[in-house]
Amino acid sequence: MGPLLRLTVFIGQLLRRPPARRKAVVMLVVLAVALGLAWTEKAGYWPQSWRVDRAPIGHRLP
């Protein structure tokens, strides 16, 4: 199952049976933190010492 289909199924389940208020608040907080981290990285404010530069796929070390 692809990520887009999985997200669609998850949203469909939320619409059919809404979560409890506490669970909805936790989900919104997690989403806000994730979006905040993504924005921080995209804007270039993430500390350079915390970045991980991975080798490209297929790259072999000698």
Side-chain angles (χ1 to χ4, degrees):
M1 182 182 301
L4 186 57
L5 181 60
R6 191 176 305 214
L7 179 63
T8 305
V9 169
F10 179 73
I11 291 173
Q13 289 174 348
L14 285 179
L15 291 175
R16 275 187 278 135
R17 196 166 34 120
R21 185 180 305 259
R22 176 178 267 168
K23 186 175 181 181
V25 168
V26 169
M27 289 168 57
L28 286 175
V29 167
V30 169
L31 180 63
V33 169
L35 289 174
L37 287 174
W39 179 81
T40 302
E41 172 66 27
K42 182 99 172 142
Y45 295 126
W46 197 258
Q48 185 66 30
S49 61
W50 290 4
R51 292 181 189 217
V52 176
D53 294 323
R54 292 188 168 88
I57 296 175
H59 179 73
R60 296 181 185 233
L61 296 174

